[in-house]
Amino acid sequence: ATINDAVVRVTYVYDGYEKRLQRREVGLNDLLEEKLEPEVKERVLFWPAEDVAIEFATFDPIQDEDGAVKGYEWTDAWEEDDGLPAAIRLTIKIRHATLTKTILLPIA
């Protein structure tokens, strides 16, 4: 992601024991220099989050029985060898509410 003219790696971490969803940012310079203890900015997004599901929109070039390409489909797993997903969908359950956020990855 680009934040305030800086390139950062953004990761989302769910701690099932603490029921907390966090967002972490690490600067590109720290990643390139391979620092043992990079500067990490963290913030709690949801607490308590009862359940978090992550899905990935991946492209499936295999044709179905009619000869049509399957195209994009949501999967609950992603392999780095498959290339970047086109989007990520987070579904978070908090008490009696379910929140869903789709994050498009235009670089994919």
Side-chain angles (χ1 to χ4, degrees), residues 6-61:
V7 177
V8 297
R9 179 179 67 187
V10 177
T11 55
Y12 296 90
V13 179
Y14 177 66
D15 180 340
Y17 181 74
E18 295 286 330
K19 297 188 180 218
R20 180 174 37 209
L21 179 65
Q22 293 180 306
R23 178 189 168 142
R24 296 181 180 163
E25 298 175 10
V26 177
L28 178 63
N29 289 338
D30 287 356
L31 294 171
L32 293 176
E33 293 173 8
E34 297 180 351
K35 290 184 177 179
L36 293 176
E37 295 183 27
E39 180 182 340
V40 178
K41 295 180 182 176
E42 293 183 331
R43 67 181 165 133
V44 175
L45 298 176
F46 294 100
W47 179 83
E50 295 171 9
D51 189 32
V52 174
I54 300 174
E55 297 173 282
F56 306 91
T58 56
F59 184 76
D60 187 352

Side-chain angles (χ1 to χ4, degrees), residues 35-106:
K35 290 184 177 179
L36 293 176
E37 295 183 27
E39 180 182 340
V40 178
K41 295 180 182 176
E42 293 183 331
R43 67 181 165 133
V44 175
L45 298 176
F46 294 100
W47 179 83
E50 295 171 9
D51 189 32
V52 174
I54 300 174
E55 297 173 282
F56 306 91
T58 56
F59 184 76
D60 187 352
I62 298 174
Q63 297 178 349
D64 61 15
E65 305 84 38
D66 299 329
V69 173
K70 290 183 180 179
Y72 290 96
E73 61 184 13
W74 290 104
T75 61
D76 60 358
W78 168 72
E79 296 292 330
E80 192 172 346
D81 294 341
D82 295 338
L84 291 175
I88 297 170
R89 181 167 57 194
L90 294 171
T91 303
I92 303 162
K93 293 181 182 177
I94 302 172
R95 295 185 187 102
H96 301 292
T98 300
L99 308 170
T100 301
K101 170 80 174 179
T102 301
I103 303 162
L104 299 177
L105 302 175

